[in-house]
């Protein structure tokens, strides 16, 4: 079994257009060329009283006639940042499509951060009223850096980034690193989350909180909010949104912990149109109607923004299909590199 290290993965990712890969995955998902089982989650409290969990997220996707199967195992402890460790880490395993045997193991950190950022960037491009000029982020960890690095390399329109973190030094360090690379962008460390969010064209919370704090009135008309984290948005941010978009409805429906999943279980969220059945709303009108899945927007089966003033919330739960597809792409890039190197040496 081939093993690719964190450094191997980081080098290979530079050769891949992540936004294009996640777009192709969504198109495959829209045309039933994927298998997306429910994820399995093991949760426990460690000896320090901190919440820990292990996720196993399998998937199979067919792109350009090639099927890739595998799983991501990602473990996290909420106390890790205080230990100087990443909150989460894990591996992606790839399977031989014929024998089902393991063929490759690779570090998941860069893949997970990269595909998460790519989904957010793609969603923003599909739903913004105009190319973003200002971005507000809450959280200054690896996900924030992955989002900003990808977005600022793609979007020449951005002029301002406002970044808040509970540990302000983290936000300062991140803005300093990015400021050295993106010199046309003004980076500001916001002293509060509200200062980061208000008046931003694009809002991206990337924290580990399980307590909501972003109300609807912080979000300006026309804003796209990509709710990457677990529970940063308060319920009214969903209920007043002109559109709520998800990556995959089945993940929302199966979830018991995150806000949108809990709201669905209490009868406050109506599925996107193609997942609705007669009487789905029950005895009362739900507070939130999910407008579409991202694959519907990409395939053209659903319409996105209707007005420049629409407040749009995108709530991606995270699809293992993207991790598996990106890992498959890196695996083949690695083999192509070896083939070229071998041929050149010969």
């Amino acid at each position: 079994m081939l093993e690719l290290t964190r450094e191997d993965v980081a080098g290979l990712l530079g050769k891949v257009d992540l936004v294009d890969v996640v777009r192709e995955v969504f198109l495959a998902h829209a045309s039933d060329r994927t298998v997306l089982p429910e994820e399995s989650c093991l949760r426990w409290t460690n000896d320090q009283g901190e919440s820990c969990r292990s996720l196993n997220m399998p998937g199979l996707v067919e792109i350009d006639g090639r099927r890739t199967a595998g799983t991501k195992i990602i473990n996290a402890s909420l106390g890790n940042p205080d230990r100087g460790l990443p909150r989460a880490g894990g591996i992606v395993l790839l399977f031989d499509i014929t024998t089902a045997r393991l063929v490759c193991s690779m570090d998941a950190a860069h893949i997970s951060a990269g595909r998460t950022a790519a989904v957010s960037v793609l969603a923003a491009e599909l739903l913004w009223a105009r190319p973003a000029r200002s971005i507000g982020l809450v959280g200054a960890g690896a996900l924030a850096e992955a989002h900003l690095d990808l977005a600022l390399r793609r979007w020449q329109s951005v002029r301002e980034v406002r970044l808040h973190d509970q540990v302000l030094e983290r936000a300062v360090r991140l803005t300093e690193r990015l400021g050295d690379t993106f010199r046309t962008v003004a980076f500001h460390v916001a002293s509060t989350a509200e200062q980061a969010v208000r008046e931003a064209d694009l809002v991206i919370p990337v924290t580990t909180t399980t307590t909501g704090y972003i109300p609807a009135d912080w979000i300006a008309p026309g804003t796209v909010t990509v709710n990457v984290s677990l529970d940063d948005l308060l319920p009214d941010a969903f209920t007043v949104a002109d559109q709520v978009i998800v990556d995959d409805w089945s993940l929302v429906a199966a979830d018991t912990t995150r806000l949108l999943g809990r709201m669905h279980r209490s009868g406050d969220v109506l599925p996107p149109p193609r997942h609705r059945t007669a009487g789905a709303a029950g005895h009362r009108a739900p507070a939130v109607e999910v407008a579409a899945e991202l694959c519907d927007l990409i395939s053209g089966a659903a319409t996105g923004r209707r007005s420049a003033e629409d407040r749009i919330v995108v709530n991606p739960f995270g699809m293992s299909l993207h991790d598996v597809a990106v890992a498959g792409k890196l695996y083949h890039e690695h083999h192509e590199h070896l083939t070229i190197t071998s041929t050149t040496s010969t």
Side-chain angles (χ1 to χ4, degrees), residues 167-250:
V167 181
L168 288 181
E169 291 78 7
R170 278 202 293 254
V172 170
R173 290 194 297 270
L174 181 53
T175 57
E176 287 175 347
R177 287 199 303 274
L178 293 171
D180 290 339
T181 302
F182 303 103
R183 297 184 178 275
T184 63
V185 179
F187 292 91
H188 303 288
V189 175
S191 59
T192 66
E194 182 177 358
Q195 289 179 0
V197 170
R198 280 196 181 272
E199 304 305 321
D201 297 327
L202 175 62
V203 173
I204 308 176
V206 279
T207 76
T208 60
T209 188
T210 55
T211 303
Y213 60 91
I214 299 178
D217 66 4
W218 287 9
I219 301 172
T223 298
V224 175
T225 302
V226 185
N227 189 39
V228 174
S229 308
L230 300 178
D231 284 324
D232 295 69
L233 299 189
L234 290 169
D236 71 330
F238 287 101
T239 58
V240 307
D242 296 284
Q243 284 189 305
V244 174
I245 309 293
V246 300
D247 52 354
D248 180 81
W249 173 252
S250 67

Side-chain angles (χ1 to χ4, degrees), residues 57-69:
M57 305 167 64
L60 182 150
V61 59
E62 179 183 332
I63 297 175
D64 296 330
R66 174 189 289 162
R67 290 189 295 167
T68 304

Side-chain angles (χ1 to χ4, degrees), residues 60-340:
L60 182 150
V61 59
E62 179 183 332
I63 297 175
D64 296 330
R66 174 189 289 162
R67 290 189 295 167
T68 304
T71 193
K72 179 173 77 168
I73 300 172
I74 190 100
N75 293 3
S77 171
L78 291 184
N80 281 350
D82 294 334
R83 302 182 182 93
L85 297 171
R87 181 183 66 87
I91 59 172
V92 179
L93 302 173
L94 294 178
F95 313 143
D96 184 276
I97 205 69
T98 301
T99 66
R101 293 177 64 86
L102 289 170
V103 293
C104 186
S105 164
M106 63 184 76
D107 187 86
H110 288 303
I111 293 173
S112 188
R115 66 85 170 161
T116 302
V119 170
S120 298
V121 164
L122 177 60
E125 292 175 353
L126 289 166
L127 292 162
W128 60 23
R130 62 171 185 265
R133 294 178 295 188
S134 61
I135 303 176
L137 280 95
V138 186
L143 269 181
E145 186 162 6
H147 276 76
L148 287 173
D149 185 72
L150 179 60
L152 296 179
R153 290 184 189 280
R154 284 178 68 90
W155 303 336
Q156 302 302 309
S157 60
V158 178
R159 290 294 175 263
E160 179 187 30
V161 170
R162 298 197 299 273
L163 181 65
H164 172 74
D165 193 283
Q166 284 188 322
V167 181
L168 288 181
E169 291 78 7
R170 278 202 293 254
V172 170
R173 290 194 297 270
L174 181 53
T175 57
E176 287 175 347
R177 287 199 303 274
L178 293 171
D180 290 339
T181 302
F182 303 103
R183 297 184 178 275
T184 63
V185 179
F187 292 91
H188 303 288
V189 175
S191 59
T192 66
E194 182 177 358
Q195 289 179 0
V197 170
R198 280 196 181 272
E199 304 305 321
D201 297 327
L202 175 62
V203 173
I204 308 176
V206 279
T207 76
T208 60
T209 188
T210 55
T211 303
Y213 60 91
I214 299 178
D217 66 4
W218 287 9
I219 301 172
T223 298
V224 175
T225 302
V226 185
N227 189 39
V228 174
S229 308
L230 300 178
D231 284 324
D232 295 69
L233 299 189
L234 290 169
D236 71 330
F238 287 101
T239 58
V240 307
D242 296 284
Q243 284 189 305
V244 174
I245 309 293
V246 300
D247 52 354
D248 180 81
W249 173 252
S250 67
L251 298 176
V252 179
D255 189 83
T256 60
T257 58
R258 287 174 281 191
L259 176 59
L260 202 62
R262 299 197 309 271
M263 291 176 69
H264 167 61
R265 288 176 178 273
S266 65
D268 290 325
V269 177
L270 189 67
R274 68 188 179 93
H275 292 277
R276 295 175 193 172
T277 58
H283 64 280
R284 60 185 173 85
V288 177
E289 294 189 15
V290 175
E293 295 171 301
L294 283 172
C295 64
D296 297 324
L297 300 181
I298 296 167
S299 69
T303 302
R305 175 179 292 275
R306 296 182 293 264
S307 161
E309 298 299 300
D310 282 354
R311 293 181 178 90
I312 298 178
V313 174
V314 184
N315 202 101
F317 271 39
M319 298 166 65
S320 60
L321 300 175
H322 293 127
D323 299 276
V324 169
V326 171
K329 190 79 170 175
L330 302 190
Y331 177 70
H332 290 291
E333 285 284 343
H334 174 79
H335 277 285
E336 288 176 12
H337 173 74
L338 289 181
T339 300
I340 293 171

Side-chain angles (χ1 to χ4, degrees), residues 30-76:
S31 59
D32 296 322
R33 290 181 284 116
T34 63
V35 180
L36 181 62
E38 288 187 23
E39 59 189 41
S40 173
C41 183
L42 170 66
R43 299 183 185 276
W44 71 94
T45 300
N46 67 13
D47 54 356
Q48 303 298 311
E50 300 159 345
S51 295
C52 299
R53 59 111 169 109
S54 177
L55 286 176
N56 182 17
M57 305 167 64
L60 182 150
V61 59
E62 179 183 332
I63 297 175
D64 296 330
R66 174 189 289 162
R67 290 189 295 167
T68 304
T71 193
K72 179 173 77 168
I73 300 172
I74 190 100
N75 293 3

